[in-house]
């Protein structure tokens, strides 16, 4: 009985791709940093919503691709019979509902963003994934996830809408990275593309340069200045603090180095195996990118905390079979 339960838990871990879960919380945390807000209760709600919607997308992805996986990936949980298709679909619906419920706890603006995110995830899995709009749809989902953290986190630059505007540059960079990884992933089964990994490498270098520069426009840490008519008032620095200035470029470099060599190898030898490795490198690079965005926005503590997730992500990936 214990062995059966362990096998079922392993099947669900493969279906939900739990090895990639550590790449999700950084979206909300980077969004909060870009909006100039400190992580709080709303940020935790956003992280919970993001995790639920991410896992909903994983379950729905395998449900939608069950016929294709039966021919190309018969070891996957659904075609192998370890999980019933109806159970995967039910799990996706339940996780979507849970994600929206958590987002609602952070307020209506956050619920609106989460609803758009959920609709994007379902549209991608049920129809857009195999169309030219696929990479753009996935990039939109990741950008919305960052904006969810910006709207859910209290304080910072004005109300939820204004915080979302401040977070747009960071969301665009995260979306560009996601677009590149998704475009490469479309070739990981059969390989054969040299141009796509090279284009993804160019995007990676451009995103790294932007993440380490002075163009994100988020509010950094504040100082206190005296006010003649009342108590001291917070006053934003025009530039990030010195620790963030040095940390941001280092993290941007760490981000670029993670997938760069793998993408170059996939371009020189566009086999399915090397393409799949390049996709894995792109997914792992998400965490250092989130950390770089947080540091560049003036939140070095958040950046270092995110960087601390990298060893945990690697450890979990070793326990769960890659998919």
């Amino acid at each position: 009985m214990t062995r059966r339960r362990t096998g079922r838990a392993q099947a669900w871990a493969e279906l939900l791709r739990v090895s990639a879960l550590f790449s999700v919380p950084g979206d909300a945390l980077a969004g909060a940093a870009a909006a100039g807000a400190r992580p709080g209760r709303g940020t935790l709600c956003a992280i919970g919503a993001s995790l639920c919607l991410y896992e909903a997308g994983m379950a729905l992805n395998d449900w939608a691709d069950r016929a294709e996986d039966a021919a190309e990936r018969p070891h996957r949980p659904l075609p192998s019979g370890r999980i019933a298709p109806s159970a995967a679909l039910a799990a996706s619906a339940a996780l979507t509902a849970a994600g929206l419920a958590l987002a609602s706890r952070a307020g209506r603006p956050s619920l609106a963003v989460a609803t758009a995110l959920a609709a994007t995830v379902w549209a991608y899995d049920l129809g857009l994934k195999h169309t030219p709009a696929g990479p753009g749809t996935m990039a939109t989902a990741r950008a919305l996830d960052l904006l969810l953290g910006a709207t859910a986190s209290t304080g910072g630059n004005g109300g939820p809408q204004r915080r979302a505007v401040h977070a747009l540059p960071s969301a665009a960079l995260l979306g560009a990275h996601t677009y590149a990884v998704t475009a490469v992933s479309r070739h990981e089964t059969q390989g054969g593309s040299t141009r796509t990994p090279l284009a993804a490498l160019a995007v990676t270098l451009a995103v790294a340069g932007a993440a380490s520069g002075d163009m994100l426009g988020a509010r950094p840490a504040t100082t206190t200045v005296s006010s003649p008519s009342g108590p001291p008032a917070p006053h934003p620095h025009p530039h990030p603090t010195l620790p963030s200035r040095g940390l941001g470029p280092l993290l941007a470099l760490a981000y670029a180095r993670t997938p760069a060599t793998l993408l170059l190898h996939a371009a020189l030898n566009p086999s399915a195996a090397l393409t799949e490795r390049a996709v894995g490198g792109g997914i792992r690079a998400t965490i250092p990118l989130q950390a770089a965005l947080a540091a560049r926005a003036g939140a070095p503590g958040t950046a270092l905390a995110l960087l601390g997730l990298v060893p945990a992500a690697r450890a979990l990936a070793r326990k769960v079979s890659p998919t």
Side-chain angles (χ1 to χ4, degrees):
M1 180 65 70
T2 301
R3 183 178 300 178
R4 183 177 179 181
R5 289 179 178 175
T6 301
R8 188 167 180 81
Q10 176 71 17
W12 278 102
E14 291 180 28
L15 177 75
L16 299 176
R17 293 167 177 82
V18 296
S19 59
L21 275 182
F22 283 103
S23 71
V24 178
D27 290 348
L29 291 171
R38 291 183 178 275
R41 175 181 172 277
T43 313
L44 290 176
C45 290
I47 291 174
S50 298
L51 289 169
C52 288
L53 294 176
Y54 184 87
E55 294 289 49
M58 294 299 101
L60 186 63
N61 174 80
D62 276 28
W63 180 85
D65 285 354
R66 60 193 185 281
E68 177 183 332
D69 286 345
E72 298 181 353
R73 305 178 187 89
H75 63 280
R76 293 291 300 153
L78 266 60
S80 66
R82 290 177 290 157
I83 296 177
S86 58
L89 183 60
S92 181
L95 286 165
T96 299
L100 294 177
L102 284 169
S104 69
R105 300 293 297 273
R108 291 184 179 179
S110 298
L111 177 59
V113 176
T115 301
L117 173 57
T120 303
V121 169
W122 280 70
Y124 176 83
D125 284 334
L126 295 183
L128 296 179
K129 177 168 51 179
H130 299 296
T131 71
T137 305
M138 182 61 74
T140 300
R142 202 84 198 202
L144 285 170
D145 205 27
L146 188 145
L147 295 178
L148 176 59
T151 57
S153 303
T154 57
N157 294 314
Q161 290 81 7
R162 188 169 181 179
R163 292 198 298 271
V165 170
H166 278 275
L168 280 176
S170 290
L173 292 179
L174 183 61
H177 166 74
T178 305
Y179 186 102
V181 174
T182 307
V184 175
S185 73
R186 293 160 75 94
H187 301 278
E188 65 180 331
T189 301
Q190 298 177 343
S193 174
T194 296
R195 181 180 303 176
T196 304
L198 283 177
L201 178 58
V203 170
T204 298
L205 296 177
V207 169
S212 63
D214 285 336
M215 57 183 64
L216 296 187
R219 185 189 72 96
T222 60
T223 56
T224 300
V225 296
S226 59
S227 173
S229 58
H235 178 70
H237 289 299
H239 298 290
T241 58
L242 289 178
S244 298
R245 276 184 175 275
L247 185 61
L250 289 176
L251 292 174
L253 178 61
Y255 153 70
R257 288 186 60 185
T258 303
T261 302
L262 297 174
L263 287 169
L264 185 59
H265 287 169
L268 295 175
N269 180 12
S271 64
L274 290 180
T275 302
E276 185 176 1
R277 288 183 61 192
V279 173
I283 294 173
R284 291 192 298 274
T286 303
I287 297 177
L289 173 58
Q290 294 161 340
L293 294 175
R296 190 62 197 88
T302 297
L304 292 175
L306 284 172
L307 202 61
L309 295 177
V310 174
R314 290 176 178 171
L316 186 59
R318 285 193 294 265
K319 292 182 179 180
V320 181
S321 299
T323 56

